[in-house]
Amino acid sequence: MIANTLRSQANTWWSRLAIAAAIALQVNCAAAEPQVSGDAVKIGILNDQSGLYADLAGPGSVEAARMAIEEFGGTVLGKKIELVFADHQNKADIGAAKAREWFTKDGVDVIADFSNSSVGFAVQSLAKDLNKIALITAASSDFTGKACTETSAQWVYTSYSNGFGLAKIMAAAGYDSWFLVTVDYAFGHAFANDIRKAVTAGGGAVLGEVRFPLNSADMSSFLLQAQSSKAKVVAFSAAGSDMANAIKQAAEFGLNQQKTLVAPAVFLTDIHALGLDKANGLRFITAFYWDRNEATRAWSQRFYARRNAMPTMTQAGVYSAVRHYLKAVEAAGTDDAKIVMAKMKDLPVDDMFSQGGKVRADGLMVHDMYLVEVKKPSESKGPWDYYRIIQTIPGDQIFQPLSESACPLVRS
């Protein structure tokens, strides 16, 4: 009797142990099973497709994202990778409405690019609320400063790196007297203020500043003031057509032969449109140049075959950001935004755009930048051979230190 009871208890114990082991196995298997919302991993490119920023981003950014997807064979975690794109027309309300539609109705997991800061801020906030990811190429340092979120990251460059960082590097090299030609609105003021801070911090001086209205056709009076100054450097705190118009007219005045000209926001397509006869001698910071090494040349030639143009730093950055996102999804085993972003911060960014790049706690992707000078026509070997790299600047020397970040994630 006792023996039978013991055998019965033992059988029951072993039965319970087997059931517990089976449940544990099921739980472990479920945890290891990739977790993807919907039937695909969906990526959106939202930018200016037809206006001011179409050449530097636009359809070229879409193609760059497509190249990153193709490297993965079009799938990740056994799911198809889908790409959608739209034109935000440089209007925050249009961009936010499209992003909301993508996030809530179409199952888009991540939106990249923007190029326009106002659109970027609108989508960054929306992505935070909906647990989606925003990968931003617009310039404002506030994206990874006071506006930072757990589900966003900033690639390519910032207003700090290309304003303060540019002036810091130049001042350290002996360019210690500056004159500022500033477009008279928030963008220009922000860059001019950063340049002023860096120059004075480096022991230099800003000898004067003149502000001009947005979309000024005639820059002659402003350029004459810069020309008559004793400054070694003239900094054009402007972008797009304002920057291009200023550089073009400065060349007509011979200013580029008398002083060193710099600008904070310059793209390869700007130089292509201006021509080397007008742009030669201009110095600026860039995140990417197609002819820097074998890897950049190989990728850029593939891009050229699709677009008949060499890539800008924004287009190369979109490729890098999308590729790194897909690597993080693969490594995390899920497309959950917060988990994927945590993995993006864990993994180094190693591709033709960046070697050993790092997404910091505030979401800023820190990587090497390059001080370049536009070549003279006689120095160029052909179309798109426009830059001479003067200096490679490590990321921790050109981007704002994390200790100075206003990001609440860092402060907490």
Side-chain angles (χ1 to χ4, degrees):
M1 177 72 75
I2 295 175
N4 288 338
T5 300
L6 290 173
R7 280 195 297 271
S8 177
Q9 289 175 343
N11 289 338
T12 300
W13 185 82
W14 280 109
S15 177
R16 290 175 178 172
L17 182 63
I19 292 171
I23 291 172
L25 181 62
Q26 289 176 349
V27 170
N28 289 335
C29 288
E33 190 73 21
Q35 302 294 313
V36 176
S37 58
D39 295 326
V41 172
K42 294 188 177 181
I43 299 169
I45 302 298
L46 185 61
N47 63 18
D48 178 357
Q49 291 280 311
S50 56
L52 181 66
Y53 304 125
D55 287 342
L56 68 89
S61 288
V62 177
E63 201 61 50
R66 188 173 288 119
M67 291 171 71
I69 292 169
E70 288 173 3
E71 285 192 15
F72 271 75
T75 64
V76 63
L77 299 180
K79 298 289 187 177
K80 183 180 178 182
I81 305 168
E82 295 183 1
L83 179 66
V84 296
F85 59 92
D87 186 347
H88 58 44
Q89 301 174 44
N90 291 307
K91 296 178 181 179
D93 57 342
I94 291 176
K98 176 54 68 175
R100 183 176 292 278
E101 176 186 330
W102 278 353
F103 284 150
T104 61
K105 295 182 180 180
D106 298 337
V108 169
D109 299 289
V110 55
I111 303 179
D113 198 353
F114 310 113
S115 298
N116 178 294
S117 289
S118 63
V119 178
F121 284 121
V123 179
Q124 181 185 34
S125 178
L126 185 64
K128 175 186 175 182
D129 294 341
L130 298 175
N131 194 37
K132 300 288 186 174
I133 286 179
L135 301 176
I136 303 158
T137 65
S140 175
S141 295
D142 285 343
F143 285 114
T144 45
K146 61 185 181 181
C148 74
T149 74
E150 287 186 272
T151 61
S152 62
Q154 186 175 23
W155 244 252
V156 188
Y157 75 116
T158 68
S159 53
Y160 181 98
S161 68
N162 284 40
F164 188 95
L166 168 66
K168 174 185 173 183
I169 295 299
M170 294 283 290
Y175 295 88
D176 55 4
S177 57
W178 293 57
F179 188 93
L180 308 182
V181 180
T182 305
V183 63
D184 195 10
Y185 74 107
F187 173 93
H189 300 169
F191 272 114
N193 289 338
D194 278 343
I195 289 171
R196 187 185 299 275
K197 289 176 185 176
V199 170
T200 55
V206 174
L207 303 184
E209 179 180 9
V210 60
R211 294 181 175 180
F212 65 91
L214 184 68
N215 295 323
S216 292
D218 184 3
M219 299 286 295
S220 57
S221 64
F222 312 114
L223 294 172
L224 284 171
Q225 293 181 61
Q227 192 172 41
S228 63
S229 76
K230 297 184 181 301
K232 297 177 182 177
V233 181
V234 176
F236 294 97
S237 294
S241 58
D242 282 318
M243 185 277 298
N245 193 34
I247 296 301
K248 179 181 179 181
Q249 293 186 38
E252 292 169 356
F253 274 80
L255 197 60
N256 59 340
Q257 305 302 318
Q258 302 163 13
K259 300 180 185 294
T260 298
L261 307 186
V262 304
V266 183
F267 295 84
L268 189 68
T269 44
D270 295 327
I271 305 305
H272 188 69
L274 278 168
L276 297 184
D277 58 326
K278 298 293 192 297
N280 74 87
L282 180 65
R283 292 189 178 191
F284 51 92
I285 299 291
T286 187
F288 178 83
Y289 182 47
W290 72 269
D291 200 22
R292 184 171 64 85
N293 59 34
E294 288 299 327
T296 58
R297 282 189 287 274
W299 184 86
S300 298
Q301 290 293 349
R302 293 196 298 273
F303 181 92
Y304 183 88
R306 297 164 178 250
R307 293 290 307 156
N308 198 34
M310 286 300 179
T312 65
M313 65 176 175
T314 292
Q315 291 158 348
V318 167
Y319 160 85
S320 175
V322 169
R323 183 179 184 272
H324 193 66
Y325 167 78
L326 291 172
K327 284 183 64 178
V329 169
E330 185 176 61
T334 179
D335 62 353
D336 179 83
K338 290 181 180 178
I339 297 174
V340 172
M341 185 54 68
K343 187 59 67 173
M344 290 182 75
K345 292 176 179 178
D346 285 342
L347 297 172
V349 182
D350 283 315
D351 53 34
M352 61 82 204
F353 180 83
S354 170
Q355 293 76 54
K358 174 69 176 177
V359 182
R360 294 191 321 201
D362 57 357
L364 178 63
M365 203 283 271
V366 177
H367 54 89
D368 290 350
M369 299 284 276
Y370 309 95
L371 175 64
V372 301
E373 182 177 83
V374 177
K375 292 181 176 182
K376 296 177 182 178
S378 60
E379 297 172 326
S380 175
K381 299 176 183 176
W384 303 102
D385 179 26
Y386 299 154
Y387 296 175
R388 178 172 66 87
I389 296 178
I390 298 172
Q391 184 179 351
T392 297
I393 311 160
D396 59 2
Q397 295 180 24
I398 192 71
F399 288 102
Q400 187 174 33
L402 188 59
S403 60
E404 298 177 8
S405 176
C407 174
L409 300 176
V410 175
R411 291 202 306 269
S412 62

